[in-house]
Amino acid sequence: VSGSVRLHVVLLAGGSGTRFWPLSRTKRPKQFLPLAGPHSLLRSTWDRVRRLAPASRIWVVAPRTLASDVRRELPNLRRDRLIAEPSPRDTAPAIALACARIARRDPRAIAAFFPCDHLIGDLRAFGRAVAAAERAAERGALVCVGIAPDRPATGFGYLKVGAKPKAGVASPVLEFVEKPDPARARRFLRSGRYLWNGGMFVWRIDRFLAELARVAPEIRRQTAAVAGGSLAAWRRVPKISIDYAVMEKAANVAVVPLDAGWDDVGSWDAAARHASGAGGRGARVILGSDGSVVFGGERLVAIVDVPGVVVVDTKDALLIASRASSEKLKSVVEAVRAAGRADLL
Amino acid sequence: VSGSVRLHVVLLAGGSGTRFWPLSRTKRPKQFLPLAGPHSLLRSTWDRVRRLAPASRIWVVAPRTLASDVRRELPNLRRDRLIAEPSPRDTAPAIALACARIARRDPRAIAAFFPCDHLIGDLRAFGRAVAAAERAAERGALVCVGIAPDRPATGFGYLKVGAKPKAGVASPVLEFVEKPDPARARRFLRSGRYLWNGGMFVWRIDRFLAELARVAPEIRRQTAAVAGGSLAAWRRVPKISIDYAVMEKAANVAVVPLDAGWDDVGSWDAAARHASGAGGRGARVILGSDGSVVFGGERLVAIVDVPGVVVVDTKDALLIASRASSEKLKSVVEAVRAAGRADLL
């Protein structure tokens, strides 16, 4: 365990998982799927953050409906460390609620927040980046862990800094930039002064709650009520992301760079990059089909001269999609619903 | 019924169906599959030839192992009109055995032979072509029904004639040409003097048996023994096609052209041409995937931006193949066998 005794870790395990249909379903979203290895994404994330803090200081925010699934997947999660959201409200309420809950135990704690759909190859570099973020947080910054980009990705938000970021050093964030178009993304990459916003944050709870009260007082008020036991207050919490609600408006926001073989598992295409050619337990016969990957399924799957596709084989639904079209899955899910088969979602 | 009282019809229902794996299996070859309409290919062929002869003069040659399947599929087939082959021996033995059996009932009969994997759009034109073939057969010719080509296909053998063939007129066949390369196929198409050899034949039984005795005496001898009750003789029958064994060597071979919207269902690509966009009973969501077709399956199948593929969804095996790669299915079947999953063939 490398974190300080003040460091609490919070895993953000919400999300509907539409993008991983048909393997993910309403009742089994992506964090419960072994999309990039033998374990579920949730379990892999738990194993990773156990290097940062003991189980007594690891928290999980998850939808109430999935609480028993989380406990099954994380047998070492402490009973009172699971924060159940009555309904999905995006990241700002989830993070605010976690901070309110942690503050009741340790108002001077530092908290680090991690989504559950990341892959990180170099765990030592990850630990060093979190330690640097923790040091900056001690001094009062709201710290993003920003990913050193290795391609002009258009699917992430970017964090602008004043000079080329250096490992272990926190720099002030000059601007939050939403997902750019390809030309802009190429400029960002060339400039060396942009990092991807991966949704990982580290801060002192007291500092965050003070900023929250200033820039999003309604969220502060209602989540404090929920933390105090009034679950009904959750209904009055606006649904909004942490970036929009807090980070873009807060003072003293910094970023620490992470260069650790990071990827997020945000689409079938990303999962395919880490699936090493085959998922599922069934036999595979893949001829003339470079880059095609099969997920799920016990059946034999044969692919002949169909390169670059992802095949997702489940008991009652089968998806065959161009890897480049991962982003279209929302329309598929809508079409399935329109066809009267919401039972398959 | 349009044929003469002497016309017997023989359906050739052998064939292993490797090309339609995984819907076709050793125990359920393609003739039993509804590949191009609501009924099996065998049943569709039966329905078509019922226009030519009454059930009492329709025969089926099929592997012994499939006899009960044939009877189930063709409830009106007479008990003693099913000719069971002890093992597959290609078309020459099947046809010779059928002729020997028919000769024992009616030595002056005319017999017409049809494979069970053809589609014919214009049934009147089909009836007229068979009638013309029957007239030429009466006069002693061994008559092929040759298909008027509409494209430079490389997957068929060709029949060369002296002048442009005319509907209803039998012309002498000058040459049997094996599957040509594309350039040659284009020359054949331009010349107008070539027809596809579709494996449909009409002749007088006595004429055929005399030719058979002359050009393939061993086949004549052994199949006569089988027809006489000595099933063991089948083992001594060589495995050979009717074209090689007889047609290329026989005297007085003629061809009658057929221009009737003919196609054969020889590959998934061909089946897809006739499947009108969807087979199977499951729901389909097909986005940005022109020319992609699903066969089989009760599951929902979604295809996103993967054009021109055939998807064959069965309980224990799934095939996703480029339609242009239909011919590669043999290697898939071999790979499945090599993977120790012959149980799936």
Side-chain angles (χ1 to χ4, degrees), chain B residues 96 207-220 223 245-246:
Chain B
R207 263 287 291 141
F208 175 79
L209 290 177
E211 276 305 287
L212 185 66
R214 189 173 71 81
V215 301
E218 184 68 8
I219 297 180
R220 171 68 181 116
T223 53
V246 180

Side-chain angles (χ1 to χ4, degrees), chain B residues 280-299:
Chain B
R281 277 174 290 182
R284 310 293 179 221
V285 171
I286 298 183
L287 305 175
S289 303
D290 286 350
S292 288
V293 179
V294 181
F295 288 90
E298 316 270 312
R299 303 185 304 167

Side-chain angles (χ1 to χ4, degrees), chain A:
Chain A
V1 172
S2 64
S4 77
V5 295
R6 291 231 165 280
L7 186 70
H8 289 245
V9 171
V10 181
L11 306 189
L12 302 168
S16 69
T18 299
R19 288 160 176 236
F20 287 92
W21 183 88
L23 208 55
S24 69
R25 304 290 171 104
T26 310
K27 290 182 180 156
R28 194 176 177 240
K30 74 169 174 177
Q31 53 273 29
F32 296 98
L33 303 177
L35 286 174
H39 299 299
S40 70
L41 293 174
L42 177 61
R43 174 59 185 270
S44 301
T45 306
W46 172 275
D47 290 344
R48 183 186 313 132
V49 300
R50 274 293 283 106
R51 302 167 65 98
L52 306 176
S56 59
R57 283 190 267 119
I58 303 180
W59 304 69
V60 175
V61 187
R64 186 163 57 181
T65 49
L66 298 173
S68 58
D69 303 274
V70 170
R71 294 197 193 283
R72 198 175 314 119
E73 198 61 28
L74 304 178
N76 294 326
L77 173 66
R78 298 284 172 91
R79 186 122 209 109
D80 60 352
R81 295 297 189 262
L82 175 57
I83 303 174
E85 298 174 288
S87 60
R89 279 287 187 276
D90 211 332
T91 46
I95 288 172
L97 176 58
C99 288
R101 283 282 297 272
I102 296 169
R104 295 168 69 89
R105 304 200 150 252
D106 181 359
R108 301 196 47 208
I110 291 174
F113 296 83
F114 300 105
C116 287
D117 55 357
H118 290 180
L119 297 174
I120 291 174
D122 183 347
L123 292 178
R124 289 166 148 270
F126 172 66
R128 284 194 302 267
V130 174
E134 203 182 339
R135 286 193 299 273
E138 289 274 15
R139 297 191 300 268
L142 303 192
V143 188
C144 308
V145 179
I147 298 109
D150 57 11
R151 62 183 193 278
T154 56
F156 303 126
Y158 283 73
L159 305 170
K160 185 180 182 184
V161 290
K164 227 173 171 121
K166 273 168 48 184
V169 178
S171 321
V173 173
L174 304 185
E175 195 185 347
F176 280 77
V177 187
E178 295 198 52
K179 299 178 181 178
D181 60 37
R184 214 167 163 219
R186 282 192 295 273
R187 280 202 306 278
F188 288 178
L189 184 66
R190 270 198 308 272
S191 83
R193 296 196 296 129
Y194 289 83
L195 295 161
W196 290 334
N197 179 3
M200 296 179 277
F201 306 103
V202 184
W203 47 61
R204 261 177 27 215
I205 296 277
D206 60 349
R207 262 289 290 141
F208 174 80
L209 290 177
E211 278 304 289
L212 184 66
R214 189 172 69 82
V215 301
E218 185 66 9
I219 297 180
R220 172 68 182 117
R221 194 174 310 123
Q222 303 302 347
T223 53
V226 175
S230 165
L231 276 183
W234 190 255
R235 275 183 292 130
R236 291 189 290 274
V237 179
K239 191 170 186 170
I240 186 168
S241 78
I242 190 72
D243 294 323
Y244 287 152
V246 180
M247 303 309 289
E248 296 184 359
K249 301 170 185 165
N252 196 6
V253 173
V255 62
V256 162
L258 172 67
D259 191 351
W262 177 93
D263 202 354
D264 88 329
V265 190
S267 66
W268 279 121
D269 186 42
R273 281 200 296 273
H274 299 282
S276 66
R281 277 174 290 183
R284 310 292 179 220
V285 172
I286 298 184
L287 305 174
S289 303
D290 285 352
S292 289
V293 179
V294 181
F295 289 90
E298 314 270 312
R299 301 186 305 166
L300 182 143
V301 179
I303 308 180
V304 184
D305 292 345
V306 187
V309 296
V310 59
V311 175
V312 188
D313 179 27
T314 76
K315 213 170 160 185
D316 50 9
L318 168 68
L319 171 72
I320 301 158
S322 163
R323 284 177 57 171
S325 301
S326 292
E327 301 295 323
K328 272 199 193 172
L329 267 204
K330 267 203 175 147
S331 5
V332 176
V333 165
E334 277 156 26
V336 171
R337 198 185 301 281
R341 297 305 307 271
D343 58 305
L344 297 176
L345 299 178

Side-chain angles (χ1 to χ4, degrees), chain B residues 67-154:
Chain B
S68 59
D69 302 274
V70 171
R71 293 196 194 286
R72 197 176 313 119
E73 199 60 28
L74 305 178
N76 294 325
L77 173 67
R78 299 283 172 93
R79 189 122 206 109
D80 60 355
R81 295 296 189 263
L82 176 57
I83 302 174
E85 297 176 288
S87 61
R89 281 286 187 277
D90 212 332
T91 46
I95 288 173
L97 176 59
C99 287
R101 284 281 298 273
I102 296 170
R104 295 168 68 89
R105 303 203 149 250
D106 181 0
R108 302 196 49 209
I110 291 174
F113 296 84
F114 300 104
C116 287
D117 55 357
H118 289 180
L119 298 174
I120 291 175
D122 182 346
L123 292 178
R124 289 166 149 269
F126 172 66
R128 283 194 301 267
V130 173
E134 204 183 338
R135 285 193 300 272
E138 288 273 15
R139 294 191 301 269
L142 302 192
V143 188
C144 308
V145 179
I147 298 109
D150 58 11
R151 62 184 194 277
T154 57

